Amino acid sequence: MSAEQPPERPQDVDTAFWLWVAALPLMVAGYLVDVFAVEKLPVLVVAASVVFVVALASVVLTFQILMRHGYRWARTVLTGGGLTAVIYTASSLFTFDRPPLAATVNAVCVILGSVAIVGGVFLVHRRDAHAYFTR
């Protein structure tokens, strides 16, 4: 009785994982800049927003780790959520009115984060990486 060895993780999966890990704090920072840039928000709303984004980031990081271990459903969730985040942030760059410093910091964070997300999505859907996702 020999246990079946899991397939070796392709370099594309590792690279995509690290791209998504780098994108996560960038996207969170962009969101928090928006929360703190809005004037006259009640403290309760700011606190709830911070708690929400920390909880969401924890869930996303968990999915990233599961994706790295070969779970296909985690890759699917990250792909859908990541592309949704990219579309939302691209549209919010031009629709929200922010103070100049907040707009600059937000733009740098979300543009770099979006590029990392798109790169990660591309890498996990290449042929070698696709064959790795068996769970």
Side-chain angles (χ1 to χ4, degrees), residues 84-117:
T84 302
V86 167
I87 292 167
Y88 171 75
T89 56
S91 68
S92 74
L93 284 174
F94 303 107
T95 56
F96 293 141
D97 190 27
R98 300 172 181 92
L101 179 61
T104 303
V105 172
N106 178 274
V108 168
C109 288
V110 299
I111 289 171
L112 291 175
S114 294
V115 168
I117 289 170

Side-chain angles (χ1 to χ4, degrees), residues 4-110:
E4 184 178 321
Q5 294 290 341
E8 185 177 330
R9 184 170 48 236
Q11 186 66 35
D12 286 346
V13 174
D14 283 333
T15 305
F17 170 77
W18 289 111
L19 283 172
W20 268 327
V21 167
L24 187 59
L26 288 169
M27 299 300 275
V28 167
Y31 176 79
L32 291 177
V33 165
D34 274 350
V35 168
F36 289 111
V38 174
E39 294 180 15
K40 300 179 183 174
L41 267 181
V43 175
L44 186 59
V45 172
V46 172
S49 295
V50 170
V51 168
F52 173 75
V53 77
V54 168
L56 185 62
S58 300
V59 170
V60 170
L61 183 61
T62 302
F63 286 166
Q64 291 171 353
I65 292 167
L66 290 172
M67 181 271 310
R68 189 172 188 217
H69 288 291
Y71 287 91
R72 182 174 292 163
W73 64 267
R75 178 188 66 168
T76 303
V77 170
L78 285 172
T79 298
L83 293 178
T84 302
V86 167
I87 292 167
Y88 171 75
T89 56
S91 68
S92 74
L93 284 174
F94 303 107
T95 56
F96 293 141
D97 190 27
R98 300 172 181 92
L101 179 61
T104 303
V105 172
N106 178 274
V108 168
C109 288
V110 299

